[in-house]
Amino acid sequence: TVEEDLQMFKDAGFEILEHFDNMAIGEELYGEEVLPWWLDLQMNWRFHLLPAHPWVRRPLATILDGLSYIGLIPRDVAKAAHLMNAGGDGLSGLGKVGAITPQYVVVARKPLA
């Protein structure tokens, strides 16, 4: 939880100056028009998010498999694409249910003495 994370900062000797969720600020400012950070990695019908859409990412990884098989690209490129797809699916799924956010900001300082 956020409270546990803030406590870890304090336990490490930091003084919390401020903390907030940028996503919440975006929702306040833009309401229904705000796009969540995870949307481009999930199924959606927004054309400008197409490069990260699963229908593009999955076939691309398969194409890279073929290119690495015939030696046009290093084998690790295709492996990295599959790994990134799995990571993107997992992170966006957690973001969709509100379990994580990369947009939480903590400003803290560690006293000199």
Side-chain angles (χ1 to χ4, degrees):
T1 65
V2 171
E3 292 78 23
E4 291 171 332
D5 293 336
L6 294 176
Q7 188 58 48
M8 284 190 267
F9 274 88
K10 292 175 186 175
D11 292 346
F14 286 90
E15 172 190 353
I16 309 262
L17 301 177
E18 67 178 309
H19 61 95
F20 55 89
D21 186 359
N22 270 335
M23 198 71 215
I25 293 172
E27 289 169 357
E28 288 176 22
L29 291 174
Y30 301 107
E32 295 290 319
E33 294 179 19
V34 70
L35 296 177
W37 65 267
W38 47 262
L39 183 66
D40 57 340
L41 297 171
Q42 294 277 319
M43 295 293 276
N44 64 73
W45 301 107
R46 297 178 187 266
F47 183 74
H48 64 287
L49 300 178
L50 190 61
H53 194 282
W55 288 355
V56 174
R57 289 188 291 119
R58 289 192 183 100
L60 179 59
T62 304
I63 291 168
L64 293 174
D65 278 332
L67 293 176
S68 68
Y69 180 78
I70 61 175
L72 287 178
I73 61 172
R75 183 183 238 149
D76 291 340
V77 171
K79 288 181 183 179
H82 287 287
L83 182 63
M84 290 174 69
N85 282 342
D89 291 343
L91 289 173
S92 63
L94 288 170
K96 189 173 185 177
V97 299
I100 61 169
T101 177
Q103 298 181 352
Y104 200 87
V105 177
V106 177
V107 180
R109 72 173 164 207
K110 191 154 186 170
L112 294 176

